[in-house]
Amino acid sequence: MLSQPASTDLRPDMTTAELKQAIKSLDLFLQDNIFQSAINDTLNKRSHFFDALLCQLWQTLELDNRFISLNAVGGYGRQTLHPFSDIDICIIHDGELTASDGTKISEFLTQLWDIGLDLGHAVRSLKDTYQACKDDVTIATSLLEIRHLFGHTEHQQQVLSALYGQDLWQSQAFFNAKQSEQQERHAKAQGTAFSIEPNLKTSPGGIRDIQTLTWVARKHFGVANMQSLRRFGFLTNDEYAELMECQNFLFRVRFALHQAAQRSENRLLLQYQAEVAKLMGFGDSMSIGESGSIAIEKMMRQLFRAMKRIGELNKILMAYFHREIIEQLNPEIIPINDNFEIVDQYIHVRDETVFIDRTQIMALFEFIAIHHDKIVGITAETLRLLRQVRRRLMGDLQDFQRCRQQFKAIFAHPEGMGLAITLMHQHGILASYLPQWREVVGQMQFDLFHAYTVDEHTHKVLKNIYAYGKDIKSLDKD
């Protein structure tokens, strides 16, 4: 592990200017050595540095630490502190604050602002903290990641115990709130991460999708991290490794984006992409249209793959969480044939060996078109099997004559361009069938006239043609 330079060392007598310089020295050191350590180690180093800085300033105020605590929350609480991330803290006290302690806390916050920190803060009694959690799911979520820094040692566990219980938020209500937030977030991105300027945090398959899984798992199962979910059987070892690899890639891109923008930024805007690609090690920065676009292409294709995988794993886990947390009534099951059935509006395989016959992959989507009025998606178990068999394919699905017939049948079906084609696109089946489609997956279009990648743009064209056709039919009926 690399040793930090002496210029990042903290002393009790440091001036505001010296503290600013220490922060600058740390960020330069981490930037220069970004490839020398894992991204989580880099983010942890930033968190540990600010832990030491805040605790040092806190101690100089001589607060009554028997009744007051300083805590990290949010991203700072989970120790994923990017170069321009907010420093979110929560100061909790027992009973009423004395006038003296209130003044000292104000001095503490002023010092943090003076050294240039983007600070998010709350000062509440323990009782008011409970009430704030009850009133606002966002506050409850942030405090699920509370981490004690200094002072009263029991506040962290008291808050967590209250949140893990059912008095402030019942598991069902919390899950529903987080699921609704995610659905609204995805709707704003029009259901895709494949835009020319994706949001690393809030787009489908972004960092927030992993955080949502973590928050639900913390609340309902009381686990510390995603790794612990493996013992509940929700996540396989391979899926956990895949999720962490994708998260780490997004973290590296976001770290580089903050460096390129020199501010807190989550949208990977065109103006930053060449510099981010360079910082990520994909190639030297050049203007769009020259060889620099090759480096951007490579980076963006990997980014889109990572976000697609996160999106799929999020769907699987959220479906499993829904069954575990929300009380299930007797499911409505509609048999289709020996291989498939519809369970509560989701198509489901009746045997996990179904996809050994590769033609059944195409049959799945043909049935989605045929039973379009009864199906809204694919069950978690089926999606997991689909992901596994997709990776085991030894050739293109179009190699099989029966698959070619099924593919044409889907396109010929009046509802084939509805949910069926969208799910084929989202889950990589179009790319597994058509090598030509695979070539344009995640391909950038470097102009201001296209908001999406080539594959996503084409998918939306197909959807618009489908919608136009339905409108015409509706008019004919009228």
Side-chain angles (χ1 to χ4, degrees):
M1 184 177 290
L2 293 172
S3 299
Q4 292 176 198
S7 56
T8 65
D9 292 343
L10 298 173
R11 305 184 314 276
D13 60 344
M14 292 177 79
T15 64
T16 298
E18 288 173 329
L19 288 171
K20 286 183 176 180
Q21 185 56 49
I23 295 171
K24 184 177 180 180
S25 295
L26 174 75
D27 284 337
L28 286 173
F29 167 76
L30 294 177
Q31 178 177 328
D32 291 343
N33 295 279
I34 187 65
F35 293 111
Q36 305 304 315
S37 54
I39 185 62
N40 282 328
D41 291 341
T42 298
L43 300 178
N44 285 341
K45 281 179 182 176
R46 287 201 88 246
S47 296
H48 292 153
F49 173 86
F50 283 102
D51 289 352
L53 189 154
L54 266 62
C55 288
Q56 178 175 289
L57 294 177
W58 181 268
Q59 290 178 77
T60 63
L61 299 175
E62 298 181 349
L63 286 154
D64 192 341
N65 290 302
R66 295 173 302 165
F67 308 107
I68 305 174
S69 65
L70 173 65
N71 307 276
V73 294
Y76 180 33
R78 60 179 173 267
Q79 297 181 298
T80 55
L81 206 55
H82 290 265
F84 290 89
S85 293
D86 290 349
I87 306 291
D88 293 324
I89 59 172
C90 181
I91 297 169
I92 301 176
H93 55 88
D94 292 330
E96 295 294 325
L97 271 182
T98 65
S100 173
D101 283 342
T103 300
K104 290 175 181 178
I105 289 173
S106 294
E107 291 174 4
F108 172 71
L109 297 175
T110 300
Q111 283 181 298
L112 299 182
W113 285 317
D114 287 345
I115 60 177
L117 299 189
D118 291 322
L119 189 66
H121 73 282
V123 182
R124 300 187 183 96
S125 68
L126 185 60
K127 181 180 178 181
D128 288 343
T129 299
Y130 293 154
Q131 189 61 48
C133 289
K134 193 170 186 176
D135 294 340
D136 191 335
V137 71
T138 302
I139 294 174
T141 303
S142 178
L143 284 164
L144 272 173
E145 295 170 315
I146 188 171
R147 183 168 57 85
H148 174 262
L149 296 178
F150 208 88
H152 193 302
T153 57
E154 295 181 13
H155 284 159
Q156 171 187 319
Q157 192 52 51
Q158 288 173 318
V159 170
L160 287 177
S161 295
L163 286 170
Y164 290 159
Q166 301 298 307
D167 292 337
L168 300 183
W169 277 89
Q170 292 191 350
S171 289
Q172 292 185 6
F174 185 83
F175 174 81
N176 287 334
K178 291 292 111 182
Q179 188 174 50
S180 295
E181 282 181 6
Q182 178 167 290
Q183 290 168 347
E184 290 172 11
R185 191 170 64 247
H186 289 183
K188 286 181 181 178
Q190 297 191 23
T192 181
F194 280 35
S195 66
I196 297 297
E197 298 178 322
N199 190 306
L200 302 176
K201 194 171 184 178
T202 62
S203 288
I207 294 169
R208 189 67 87 203
D209 279 9
I210 300 178
Q211 292 170 351
T212 297
L213 295 173
T214 305
W215 294 329
V216 173
R218 279 177 178 267
K219 164 61 182 166
H220 185 71
F221 303 103
V223 298
N225 50 47
M226 294 299 294
Q227 185 175 5
S228 304
L229 277 180
R230 291 183 295 180
R231 74 171 185 264
F232 290 94
F234 295 122
L235 203 60
T236 68
N237 290 338
D238 285 344
E239 287 169 344
Y240 171 75
E242 181 181 3
L243 193 62
M244 292 302 99
E245 287 170 5
C246 293
Q247 175 182 266
N248 289 349
F249 185 79
L250 261 64
F251 279 175
R252 283 198 177 277
V253 177
R254 191 180 183 215
F255 194 94
L257 177 57
H258 279 210
Q259 291 174 333
Q262 284 299 294
R263 61 186 174 86
S264 180
E265 179 61 79
N266 291 310
R267 282 190 67 199
L268 189 49
L269 301 173
L270 281 170
Q271 67 195 77
Y272 300 130
Q273 288 175 8
E275 181 62 19
V276 171
K278 179 182 177 182
L279 292 169
M280 289 284 293
F282 284 95
D284 289 338
S285 173
M286 290 186 174
S287 60
I288 300 298
E290 300 178 25
S291 61
S293 64
I294 298 174
I296 297 172
E297 282 275 6
K298 291 177 180 177
M299 176 186 71
M300 296 303 288
R301 286 202 171 192
Q302 288 198 28
L303 174 64
F304 291 136
R305 287 190 193 110
M307 296 180 83
K308 175 173 277 191
R309 291 173 183 179
I310 291 170
E312 285 186 328
L313 290 170
N314 173 277
K315 279 187 178 180
I316 291 171
L317 286 171
M318 288 295 279
Y320 282 132
F321 289 166
H322 185 274
R323 284 187 218 161
E324 182 73 19
I325 297 170
I326 306 299
E327 183 179 356
Q328 302 296 304
L329 302 175
N330 293 329
E332 180 187 5
I333 300 175
I334 303 173
I336 295 177
N337 63 9
D338 290 341
N339 295 325
F340 299 100
E341 62 189 8
I342 302 169
V343 180
D344 288 339
Q345 296 185 289
Y346 286 82
I347 193 165
H348 180 70
V349 292
R350 305 180 81 170
D351 189 295
E352 63 180 18
T353 64
V354 163
F355 294 134
I356 290 176
D357 176 2
R358 300 303 190 232
T359 65
Q360 294 305 311
I361 298 174
M362 300 304 292
L364 171 75
F365 295 96
E366 190 175 3
F367 284 131
I368 291 173
I370 293 169
H371 300 281
H372 63 94
D373 56 337
K374 302 181 183 69
I375 295 173
V376 298
I378 302 172
T379 63
E381 294 86 354
T382 305
L383 182 53
R384 175 172 278 163
L385 290 173
L386 198 61
R387 295 179 83 246
Q388 292 169 353
V389 74
R390 188 180 66 201
R391 296 178 183 187
R392 294 198 305 267
L393 289 174
M394 292 176 282
D396 298 321
L397 287 173
Q398 68 168 347
D399 294 345
F400 301 97
Q401 181 179 357
R402 177 58 185 151
C403 285
R404 294 196 296 273
Q405 293 169 344
Q406 291 168 311
F407 185 78
K408 286 188 286 186
I410 292 169
F411 266 69
H413 194 281
E415 299 297 334
M417 295 301 101
L419 182 62
I421 198 70
T422 294
L423 293 176
M424 288 178 74
H425 170 52
Q426 287 180 351
H427 299 303
I429 301 306
L430 275 178
S432 297
Y433 179 84
L434 276 175
Q436 296 87 347
W437 186 270
R438 189 161 59 245
E439 289 300 314
V440 299
V441 171
Q443 184 176 327
M444 297 285 286
Q445 302 183 85
F446 296 106
D447 57 56
L448 298 177
F449 302 103
H450 295 91
Y452 301 99
T453 56
V454 174
D455 60 314
E456 185 59 33
H457 182 92
T458 308
H459 167 247
K460 288 188 178 297
V461 169
L462 291 173
K463 299 297 289 185
N464 286 333
I465 293 172
Y466 165 71
Y468 179 72
K470 288 180 77 70
D471 290 341
I472 293 296
K473 290 177 183 176
S474 178
L475 287 172
D476 289 342
K477 287 179 182 179
D478 293 339

